[in-house]
Amino acid sequence: MKFVITWFILLACSSAVSGAGQPAAYQVDGISCDGWWTCPSPDAPLVVIIHDWDGLTGYEVKRAEMLAELGYAVFCADLFGAGVRPTSTDEKRKLTGALYADREKMRSLLNGALVAAAERGGHVDNAVVAGYCFGGTAALELARSGANLKGFVSFHGGLDLPEGQDCTRIKGSLLILHGSADSSVSMDDFAGLANALEAAGVKHEMTTYSGAPHAFSVFGSDRYRKDADEKSWRRFTQFLKDVL
């Protein structure tokens, strides 16, 4: 669905030389992870990007560089571990399913990425976490954990509320960007989340895009929808200006 892994490796090499961005190895509870870090200035607000079920590839790196051009420091997290980049649907389901089943581990990996960003000079006190598909689900998991960040953004992520969880601990604002033609995440899930956020008094904005399927923002895929991608990106960047 995304840019091939070889593209990511080539970009890693060229960007590390140019200074535009660089691979960022780190560890979380003994797990080695391969992140990505780019920072245009020491005072830049921070955006942490969480990958989809393909793992961290050139897609997230491209988004990071787009944000860096707008003046943001960006840390791309790795929730699968160093060298773990699944290619089959079964592998992707196994990896994401394991984290869905172990929410504490997911939260630990997410918090570990925040620590890694801070160690590189990222301002986690002035930060937004954004994720795509699985990453959007993970961003909302971090929000429900009570992480003290300015905002949380989900691009076509899972929106259902895990059993035993609620939205009462959420700090910061939420931005949910969803395709109304998404066959993986229903509009019932969308409405359910809206009701839960409203009941908890969480500041949020939720937008749907007509005709946009799951993964509508993934360049080059058969699910890509240019109109929804461009509109959601504009809203995202305005959100960053508003909260950071």
Side-chain angles (χ1 to χ4, degrees), residues 15-39:
S15 294
V17 172
S18 69
Q22 58 187 345
Y26 64 103
Q27 287 205 340
V28 183
D29 297 334
I31 301 171
S32 296
C33 302
D34 287 335
W36 181 270
W37 169 246
T38 183
C39 184

Side-chain angles (χ1 to χ4, degrees), residues 121-136:
H123 298 287
V124 295
D125 58 340
N126 191 32
V128 163
V129 171
Y132 293 86
C133 298
F134 161 74

